[in-house]
Amino acid sequence: MAFLSIRNVFKSYFLHGKRIDVLRGVSLDLERGELVSLIGPSGAGKSTFLHVLGTLDAPAAGEVLFEGRSVFSMNDAQIAEFRNRTIGFVFQSHYLLPEFTALENVAMPALIQRGDRAKTYAQARELLERVGLGARVDHRPGELSGGEAQRVALARALVLKPAILLADEPTGNLDPATGEGIHQLLRDVNRDLGITAVVVTHNETLAQSMPRRLRLAGGQVTDA
Ligand SMILES: Nc1ncnc2c1ncn2[C@@H]1O[C@H](COP(=O)(O)OP(=O)(O)OP(=O)(O)O)[C@@H](O)[C@H]1O
Ligand SMILES: [Mg+2]
């Protein structure tokens, strides 16, 4: 049984009387601890795919199975609980809370879960140091560069030590050296914490550096 399994998933959008078929029968198995890159043209459906994989968006047809269990068969509260416990997201837009500092943003998911405050802040600080932002913990998102904000979002996605990390272009706003640093960090958390990660990137070199490479095109996901 695969750790995470996508079975014949379809997803379309309807807008102004038009239907856009984005995912057209996607099937894929991910093993626990895999580190995977996902490439594909702009508009191919990479973000859509990550949202379905991460249970944020239900497919029109098909199934997402976590350890053999169909996640969309659960009720909304159960799905939300599963998502909070299991999945860390780095969205294409960082969605940091503007009125809170970098440290508070990273700590937030754990504070919401009522974790120990002192321990949570210590972990958040350590994660910010790992993404190279030890000197920016007191900055609010408006006082960070685009790439720094993206790195804060990555630290926030890791604070609850998720089993699965879904990252949508976490290096989109970064210079090559910082981008490589983030990919190194992804490799480290994959190896050290056993996190299963799917990373969308437009950077071919970084994509190639991942142990498994997927491509999304024509509504299908294939090994690249
Ligand atoms: N809410 C929506 N309503 C209608 N169409 C949408 C919606 N969201 C996305 N789309 C369309 O679905 C297609 C897939 O979008 P998606 O965001 O998944 O692409 P992507 O591969 O992530 O692209 P990029 O590399 O530019 O981020 C696009 O053609 C987009 O215009
Ligand atoms: Mg996208």
Side-chain angles (χ1 to χ4, degrees):
M1 182 211 307
F3 176 60
L4 191 57
S5 197
I6 294 93
R7 289 270 161 273
N8 211 19
V9 158
F10 285 78
K11 179 83 191 170
S12 305
Y13 293 108
F14 298 88
L15 195 67
H16 309 309
K18 273 200 182 162
R19 190 172 112 186
I20 306 165
D21 296 319
V22 179
L23 305 178
R24 305 179 210 167
V26 172
S27 294
L28 179 71
D29 281 341
L30 294 176
E31 299 308 325
R32 183 189 287 275
E34 274 200 289
L35 175 59
V36 178
S37 64
L38 177 63
I39 58 168
S42 176
K46 302 179 299 298
S47 296
T48 303
F49 175 69
L50 276 203
H51 291 174
V52 172
L53 191 55
T55 76
L56 288 167
D57 228 350
E63 281 192 308
V64 176
L65 303 162
F66 179 74
E67 295 178 327
R69 202 162 45 123
S70 172
V71 295
F72 288 106
S73 320
M74 299 189 282
N75 67 36
D76 286 354
Q78 289 168 327
I79 293 174
E81 210 270 323
F82 164 78
R83 185 190 313 127
N84 291 340
R85 190 162 30 83
T86 318
I87 301 172
F89 277 101
V90 182
F91 294 99
Q92 201 163 358
S93 330
H94 56 68
Y95 294 126
L96 296 175
L97 301 169
E99 65 273 34
F100 292 98
T101 66
L103 185 68
E104 289 163 339
N105 267 283
V106 173
M108 196 63 70
L111 294 175
I112 290 168
Q113 305 269 312
R114 307 207 174 282
D116 179 284
R117 288 183 76 83
K119 218 162 113 186
T120 294
Y121 279 117
Q123 280 167 350
R125 195 175 288 274
E126 192 192 310
L127 281 166
L128 282 167
E129 276 161 18
R130 286 197 74 161
V131 296
L133 292 178
R136 296 287 184 273
V137 295
D138 295 324
H139 286 229
R140 294 193 173 83
E143 300 153 356
L144 296 168
S145 74
E148 287 172 344
Q150 196 62 323
R151 285 186 272 162
V152 174
L154 174 60
R156 176 183 58 181
L158 293 171
V159 78
L160 288 177
K161 299 192 174 64
I164 301 166
L165 177 72
L166 303 177
D168 203 346
E169 293 196 56
T171 56
N173 293 317
L174 302 179
D175 64 275
T178 314
E180 174 46 36
I182 291 296
H183 279 241
Q184 188 55 52
L185 175 70
L186 291 169
R187 286 190 284 269
D188 290 350
V189 298
N190 169 256
R191 189 194 56 221
D192 300 346
L193 308 174
I195 292 179
T196 307
V198 180
V199 183
V200 171
T201 179
H202 280 286
N203 184 320
E204 284 280 350
T205 313
L206 293 178
Q208 290 296 334
S209 75
M210 300 279 170
R212 185 175 176 191
R213 298 162 296 279
L214 298 172
R215 176 184 299 278
L216 205 173
Q220 304 285 330
V221 174
T222 50
D223 277 276

